[in-house]
Amino acid sequence: MFTETINGISLTFETADTSFSPLGADLGTLAMLSAAFSENAVINAGATLLDLGCGYGLVGVYAAKLIGAENIVMSDVCEDSVALARKNADLNNVGGVKIIQSDGFRDIRDSGFSLILSNPPYHTDFSVAKHFIEKGFNRLVIGGKMFMVTKRRDWYKNKLSSVFGGVRITETDGYYVFCAEKRNANYAKRRKHD
């Protein structure tokens, strides 16, 4: 268990030895949160957020404190991570978040998200990230944004650009934070015909 203060909000998390970053928030996740929540234009009444690959729930729990638990969906493929995310939502008084066990988007029925945030497993092949990006595009509202953080730049830059039509990249502490905005529902389909 650890306590983390992010932008003045104190949060407590129970983790397991098998959790990603079990002793505290990793620098990449903090960089992504900073980038996502400095984008004030999309954080308004009714904004909805998907924490994709939530782990023990740090991103979703923090977001729930900012935009309300009812506006958050968290998901992870791992049953143990989902159980920890539920405990941590309750522990931090945001038990109203929706938490789903899902392999990527396979069991997520929600759509129309304002934000999708993910710190994907980038030390493996790119199949998980490919699924997250391609399916995530379809789950965002027009003007919605996907934020991802990795230590790999080129593949993510190219993939996000090809699906979204562009991407902004910032580098913080050796991590790349990608922000891609859904500007047109048919952009990816038109690109395939170019």
Side-chain angles (χ1 to χ4, degrees), residues 72-94:
I72 307 298
V73 176
M74 299 163 63
S75 74
D76 201 282
V77 68
C78 176
E79 184 177 349
D80 292 341
S81 292
V82 168
L84 282 170
R86 284 192 178 108
K87 280 185 188 178
N88 288 325
D90 290 338
L91 187 62
N92 289 283
N93 299 312
V94 291

Side-chain angles (χ1 to χ4, degrees), residues 138-174:
N138 296 325
R139 301 298 181 96
L140 287 166
V141 296
I142 300 297
K145 296 179 181 178
M146 174 175 271
F147 286 87
M148 295 186 113
V149 62
T150 76
K151 284 196 168 192
R152 294 178 161 186
R153 185 178 191 277
D154 293 340
W155 186 90
Y156 286 88
K157 176 187 173 194
N158 294 336
K159 186 63 179 176
L160 285 160
S161 292
S162 73
V163 172
F164 284 83
V167 63
R168 279 194 333 261
I169 306 167
T170 55
E171 184 179 359
T172 305
D173 296 320

Side-chain angles (χ1 to χ4, degrees), residues 49 55 66 97 137:
L49 180 142
L66 297 177
V97 298
F137 178 88

Side-chain angles (χ1 to χ4, degrees), residues 42 111-116 133-147 160-161 163-168 179-190:
V42 296
S111 63
F113 292 105
S114 307
L115 294 166
I116 297 175
I133 293 166
E134 290 175 353
K135 300 301 181 189
F137 178 88
N138 296 325
R139 301 298 181 96
L140 287 166
V141 296
I142 300 297
K145 296 179 181 178
M146 174 175 271
F147 286 87
L160 285 160
S161 292
V163 172
F164 284 83
V167 63
R168 279 194 333 261
C179 174
E181 181 178 351
K182 182 174 181 175
R183 295 186 294 254
N184 183 321
N186 295 314
Y187 184 83
K189 188 189 307 183
R190 282 199 332 266

Side-chain angles (χ1 to χ4, degrees), residues 1-4 12-27 29 55-58 81 84 88:
M1 188 172 285
F2 70 89
T3 299
E4 186 84 35
T12 301
F13 295 96
E14 184 176 324
T15 64
D17 291 341
T18 56
S19 299
F20 170 72
S21 194
L23 302 178
D26 76 297
L27 295 176
T29 298
Y56 53 79
L58 188 142
S81 292
L84 282 170
N88 288 325

